[in-house]
């Protein structure tokens, strides 16, 4: 593969993750392969004195890690491959390393309010920042609508700058970073247990997925074997989380098309899901149930029974809701042919989750970079090509059905045995975790120092490669359809801003 | 659609009567809240939720208050879209430095008298993000807080209990400005 040693899924899932120290021309070759569409960008992040790049070869289901050591600058990947842009801006914000000839040098997460610059690199005192320069828009009779960071509903903060011509949006520019909490800074020097706590608070709707990805990274680094029962329980947790989010969002998308009944019905099913999770695992979002080495809480027969009843309840009620969605013309009128994401764009950005799978990018970590227990389970990955709001709703409906089927399988085949392998953190060691959350693939890269504490931990939310696409799909739609398009993507703010 | 409406007319609503002990709690809490609202305000209560950098977990539970199980509106509480319509700000998150000004401006835009509730462990003192360069360290570090509801995130029940406790407190704050 273009300049690095391919890592097969088996290798990825079984021990420390190798990475290759790249020369500048390896870095350039990799960038070229990204631009040519031969590879997909999985991640790009900074460290002290280095930048790292994770690449995916979709054809051979393998991946690679490249490191370019540098104290000052590195060849910009964004110059040739747009999906790298915000990632490179973030590297500069946090570490002070500069992408050479990058097309966009504006800060991204750094709003000039931290009191420091480059907090994770050679930190210096805050320098005054000029007002953020939104991209210029030229043309006749254009007007701008600024929205946020505080939004009208109960949602996360971010800023959207619309330029409209009449009702039609000609450009949307996003500005994010408002929820930046400095999670990666807090990770540095932390123990594994503290790291797991932080990972579980990166995005509140993906507690399980983040804690699993973090645990995977730690277990890979330390070559720890997780007991089969723990792996099964993790998958139960992950599918319940997926189900809760899909149910909630299907209702919310319909609500944004002024169809409140779906919100109420789906909201009730979602609540049942959270309650069953609380009964089975002691917390409505299963916080801190997954820990490096396994899980911290076993499933009791009563808890399992609660989950079975949940599956039965959702199975009984979901088909009628689907029929309602499918049979309501006023609703379809809003969702069909709205916010269409072209398959080529989804591929180029490596869009994960239902956003990618509704636009022809048929990729699911559970199947394509398989990890236990999914390698032994039967499930299908729904995909389609039409890419509009309607397509994304349908993918989520189909995925919810798959989660129900998986839950039944998992509960029927739950192995007995221990649930936690005690582990001792030693280093230096490095591992990569990749888990399919409800939004798509979550990547966690973890480097442990010689003392077994975290030297660097990078968490990459799928939203990094979905947010820019939201800007693209709204173009040509009316402003009133933005909430609908936005909800149909449901990108993470906190997961992205870290 | 017709099927749903017919079913809605002929079957029991999800909210009533309470199917489990937990939901009996909700009923009771809701009534307690309603009584206090009548006594204190003589009307319903308008709440504005402000995410000041939360992980979104607290938002999920705030939103859950509107699902058919809790159905907050029946007790005279509703979430409003603008701080100008609000009696209470429910603020989540450790207050990131990047959100500080937005929170201050939201507070300033809320008419007097007003209450502020800091929601979740983060809202108290930054929670598990304490010590980061990027946070102010809790809602109280930025605007005056009347009540804190602990939890990560607080459950919908805990949120309802918190609202009751708020109404039992002294009169809402009149800011000097
Ligand atoms: S208190 Fe917990 S749920 Fe709420 S914002 Fe903080 S970490 Fe998230």
């Amino acid at each position: 593969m273009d300049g690095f040693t391919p890592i097969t899924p088996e290798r990825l899932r079984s021990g420390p993750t190798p990475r290759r120290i790249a020369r500048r021309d390896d870095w350039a070759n990799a960038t070229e392969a990204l631009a040519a569409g031969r590879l997909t960008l999985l991640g790009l992040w900074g460290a002290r004195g280095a930048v790292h790049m994770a690449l995916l070869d979709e054809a051979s289901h393998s991946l690679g890690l490249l490191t370019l050591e540098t104290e000052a600058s590195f060849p910009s990947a964004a110059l040739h491959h747009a999906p790298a842009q915000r990632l490179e801006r973030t590297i500069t914000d946090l570490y002070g390393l500069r992408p050479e000839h990058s097309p966009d040098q504006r800060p991204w997460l750094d709003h000039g309010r931290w009191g420091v610059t480059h907090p994770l690199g050679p930190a210096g005192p805050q320098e005054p920042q000029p007002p953020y320069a939104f991209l210029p828009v030229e043309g006749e009779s254009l007007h701008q609508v600024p929205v946020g960071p505080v939004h009208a509903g109960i949602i996360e903060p971010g800023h959207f700058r619309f330029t409209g011509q009449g009702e039609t949006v000609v450009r949307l520019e996003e500005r994010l970073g408002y929820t930046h909490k400095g999670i990666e800074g807090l990770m540095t020097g932390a123990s594994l247990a503290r790291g797991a706590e932080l990972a579980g608070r990166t995005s509140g709707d993906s507690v399980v997925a983040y804690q699993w990805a973090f645990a995977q990274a730690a277990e890979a680094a330390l070559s720890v074997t997780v007991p089969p029962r723990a792996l099964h329980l993790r998958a139960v947790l992950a599918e319940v989380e997926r189900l809760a989010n899909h149910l909630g969002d299907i209702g919310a998308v319909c609500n944004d098309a002024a169809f409140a009944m779906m919100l109420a019905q789906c909201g009730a099913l979602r609540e049942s899901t959270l309650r069953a999770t609380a009964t089975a695992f002691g917390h409505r979002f299963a916080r801190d149930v997954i820990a490096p080495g396994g899980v911290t809480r076993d499933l009791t027969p009563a808890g399992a029974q609660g989950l079975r009843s949940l599956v039965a309840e959702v199975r009984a009620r979901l088909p009628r809701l689907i029929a309602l969605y499918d049979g309501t013309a006023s609703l379809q009128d809003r969702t069909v042919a709205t916010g269409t994401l072209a398959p080529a764009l989804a591929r180029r950005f490596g869009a994960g989750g239902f956003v990618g799978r509704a636009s022809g990018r048929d990729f699911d970590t559970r199947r394509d970079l398989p990890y236990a227990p999914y390698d032994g389970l039967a499930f299908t990955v729904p995909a389609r090509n039409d890419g509009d709001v309607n397509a994304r709703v349908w993918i989520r409906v189909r995925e919810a059905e798959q989660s129900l089927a998986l839950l039944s399988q998992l509960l029927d085949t739950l192995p007995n045995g221990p649930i936690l392998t005690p582990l001792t953190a030693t280093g230096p060691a490095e591992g990569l975790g990749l888990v399919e959350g409800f939004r798509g693939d979550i990547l966690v890269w973890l480097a442990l120092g010689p003392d077994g504490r975290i030297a660097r931990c990078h968490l990459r939310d799928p939203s990094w490669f979905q947010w820019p696409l939201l800007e693209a799909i709204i173009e040509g739609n009316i402003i009133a359809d933005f909430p609908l398009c936005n909800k149909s993507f449901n990108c993470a703010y906190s997961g992205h801003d870290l | 659609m017709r099927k749903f409406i017919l079913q809605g007319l002929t079957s029991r609503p999800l909210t009533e009567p309470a199917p489990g002990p937990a939901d009996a709690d909700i009923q009771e809490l809701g009534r307690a809240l309603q009584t206090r609202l009548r006594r204190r305000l003589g009307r319903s209560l308008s709440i504005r939720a402000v995410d000041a950098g939360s992980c979104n977990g607290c938002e999920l539970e705030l939103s859950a208050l509107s699902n058919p199980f809790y159905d907050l509106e029946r007790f005279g509480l509703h979430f409003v879209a603008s701080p100008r319509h609000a009696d209470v700000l429910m603020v989540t998150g450790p207050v990131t430095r990047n959100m500080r000004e937005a929170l201050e401006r939201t507070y300033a835009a809320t008419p007097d008298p007003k209450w502020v509730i800091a929601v979740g462990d983060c809202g108290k003192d930054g929670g598990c993000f304490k010590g980061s360069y990027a946070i102010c360290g809790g809602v109280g570090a930025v605007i005056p807080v009347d009540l804190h509801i602990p939890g990560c995130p607080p459950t919908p029940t805990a949120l309802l209990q918190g609202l009751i406790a708020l109404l039992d407190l002294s009169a809402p704050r009149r800011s000097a400005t």
Side-chain angles (χ1 to χ4, degrees):
Chain A
M1 221 193 306
D2 300 79
F4 65 86
T5 338
I7 310 168
T8 60
E10 299 76 50
R11 175 87 199 271
L12 172 71
R13 306 299 184 186
S14 61
T17 317
R19 68 190 156 85
R20 185 174 146 180
I21 306 295
R23 296 180 316 239
R24 286 176 69 93
D25 55 336
D26 295 326
W27 195 264
N29 283 344
T31 303
E32 203 181 295
L34 288 173
R38 293 196 301 279
L39 295 175
T40 305
L41 187 63
L42 268 188
L44 179 60
W45 63 98
R48 277 184 173 256
V51 281
H52 303 290
M53 192 192 278
L55 299 151
L56 171 71
D57 182 348
E58 293 192 33
S60 70
H61 293 199
S62 59
L63 47 91
L65 279 184
L66 279 189
T67 299
L68 185 72
E69 290 172 346
T70 170
E71 292 299 334
S73 68
F74 58 97
S76 168
L79 186 57
H80 307 286
H81 191 56
Q85 251 180 44
R86 291 175 178 177
L87 294 159
E88 288 187 347
R89 290 164 70 184
T90 301
I91 292 173
T92 309
D93 287 351
L94 298 180
Y95 285 94
L97 302 167
R98 298 202 176 270
E100 296 152 19
H101 313 297
S102 153
D104 190 343
Q105 313 241 354
R106 294 173 298 169
W108 180 238
L109 299 182
D110 183 356
H111 293 193
R113 292 160 186 266
W114 295 336
V116 286
T117 48
H118 319 313
L120 307 186
Q126 182 79 61
E127 293 155 17
Q129 256 185 33
Y132 191 74
F134 285 94
L135 297 174
V137 191
E138 281 170 28
E140 270 185 42
S141 48
L142 296 176
H143 64 278
Q144 289 206 327
V145 185
V147 178
V150 178
H151 295 159
I154 306 178
I155 32 174
E156 298 181 77
H159 182 86
F160 300 115
R161 184 66 59 101
F162 296 94
T163 305
Q165 193 167 40
E167 288 258 14
T168 310
V169 180
V170 296
R171 170 178 280 162
L172 160 64
E173 190 179 351
E174 296 155 357
R175 190 182 184 206
L176 303 175
Y178 290 93
T179 71
H180 178 76
K181 294 177 268 296
I183 293 179
E184 295 190 341
L186 291 169
M187 284 277 190
T188 310
S191 67
L192 270 187
R194 167 84 172 126
E197 181 194 15
L198 286 164
R201 284 150 184 84
T202 302
S203 186
D205 49 23
S206 303
V207 171
V208 169
Y210 267 97
Q211 289 194 320
W212 194 350
F214 181 86
Q216 265 189 3
E219 288 148 9
L222 301 170
S223 300
V224 169
T225 311
V226 180
R229 184 172 174 86
L231 290 169
H232 254 66
L233 289 177
R234 284 180 178 181
V236 169
L237 288 160
E239 296 313 316
V240 169
E241 182 174 272
R242 199 181 322 278
L243 185 65
N245 281 302
H246 282 352
L247 288 170
D249 286 350
I250 292 167
V253 169
C254 296
N255 191 50
D256 278 341
F259 197 74
M261 187 198 254
M262 280 289 278
L263 179 69
Q265 297 283 344
C266 291
L269 286 182
R270 177 186 155 83
E271 178 68 21
S272 299
T273 312
L274 298 183
R275 289 183 176 197
T277 311
T279 309
F281 297 103
H283 189 283
R284 284 162 59 90
F285 300 96
R287 257 198 218 292
D288 303 327
V289 176
I290 294 183
V295 293
T296 56
R297 199 186 154 107
D298 209 348
L299 185 63
T300 61
Q305 193 43 49
L307 290 171
R308 281 182 204 280
S309 317
L310 170 76
V311 171
E313 182 193 347
V314 180
R315 273 225 176 96
R317 287 175 45 197
L318 191 59
R320 285 188 293 139
L321 296 178
I322 301 170
L324 179 64
Y325 173 77
D326 205 23
T328 306
S330 65
L331 191 50
Q332 298 273 315
D333 181 48
R334 295 288 305 277
T335 59
V336 174
T338 303
T340 306
L341 172 63
L345 212 48
R347 259 200 71 216
R348 184 149 166 253
F349 275 74
F354 52 87
V355 171
R357 291 191 284 270
S359 291
R361 185 168 179 266
D362 185 6
F363 175 82
D364 187 316
T365 319
R366 292 173 297 172
R367 182 194 61 194
D368 300 314
L369 298 169
Y371 49 102
Y374 291 105
D375 46 1
L377 297 169
F379 62 102
T380 58
V381 178
R384 51 196 284 167
N385 284 315
D386 35 354
D388 53 5
V389 172
N390 177 55
R392 287 186 284 279
V393 169
W394 274 112
I395 294 285
R396 301 187 77 170
V397 167
R398 295 293 172 240
E399 288 186 16
E401 291 167 352
Q402 288 299 315
S403 292
L404 292 171
L406 279 167
L407 281 170
S408 297
Q409 277 181 66
L410 286 161
L411 292 170
D412 286 345
T413 58
L414 200 60
N416 288 321
I419 55 165
L420 192 68
T421 307
L423 47 83
T424 323
T426 51
E430 295 174 6
L432 189 74
L434 261 172
V435 158
E436 190 72 18
F438 87 96
R439 279 195 184 89
D441 48 301
I442 291 172
L443 176 145
V444 173
W445 184 75
L446 180 70
L448 295 172
D451 53 357
R453 301 186 84 81
I454 298 172
R456 174 80 175 98
C457 178
H458 172 63
L459 312 130
R460 198 271 298 137
D461 197 88
S463 302
W464 279 98
F465 302 122
Q466 296 165 344
W467 273 120
L469 298 172
L470 182 64
E471 287 183 350
I473 63 147
I474 189 67
E475 210 182 297
N477 286 260
I478 57 170
I479 246 185
D481 275 343
F482 178 70
L484 195 56
C485 295
N486 189 22
K487 196 73 220 174
S488 79
F489 265 56
N490 190 19
C491 296
Y493 297 72
S494 183
H496 166 282
D497 295 349
L498 287 173
Chain B
M1 177 101 185
R2 215 180 318 131
K3 250 191 297 174
F4 273 86
I5 294 172
L6 282 176
Q7 200 190 21
L9 289 172
T10 52
S11 67
R12 298 186 315 189
L14 292 165
T15 39
E16 225 189 12
D23 290 338
D25 281 5
I26 305 284
Q27 289 275 344
E28 208 174 296
L29 287 175
R31 291 218 188 86
L33 197 59
Q34 214 165 18
T35 318
R36 284 167 176 75
L37 277 176
R38 289 216 184 100
R39 211 173 54 220
R40 293 293 304 271
L41 299 181
R43 60 170 171 83
S44 60
L45 187 73
S46 299
I47 304 168
R48 179 68 173 88
V50 185
D51 178 338
S54 94
C55 77
N56 81 32
C58 283
E59 274 55 47
L60 293 175
E61 295 297 52
L62 283 170
S63 308
L65 285 174
S66 302
N67 79 33
F69 281 77
Y70 302 98
D71 194 13
L72 197 99
E73 296 241 3
R74 69 187 152 136
F75 305 125
L77 291 154
H78 55 259
F79 285 103
V80 292
S82 165
R84 297 193 194 282
H85 303 156
D87 305 303
V88 181
L89 295 181
M90 291 183 91
V91 187
T92 64
V95 189
T96 58
R97 289 183 184 263
N98 288 353
M99 270 306 284
R100 180 186 190 124
E101 186 190 338
L103 176 60
E104 286 167 345
R105 287 169 67 168
T106 305
Y107 180 75
T110 311
D112 291 334
K114 57 193 165 195
W115 281 294
V116 174
I117 302 180
V119 176
D121 293 349
C122 285
K124 184 171 188 205
D125 54 5
C128 70
F129 307 110
K130 226 182 293 176
S132 167
Y133 61 86
I135 67 160
C136 301
V139 182
V142 179
I143 56 173
V145 169
D146 296 282
L147 183 85
H148 169 242
I149 305 178
C152 182
T155 60
T157 312
L159 291 170
L160 279 175
Q161 283 162 338
L163 285 164
I164 292 175
L166 178 80
L167 291 168
D168 284 341
L169 284 175
S170 54
R173 190 182 302 273
R174 253 169 232 285
S175 68
T177 47

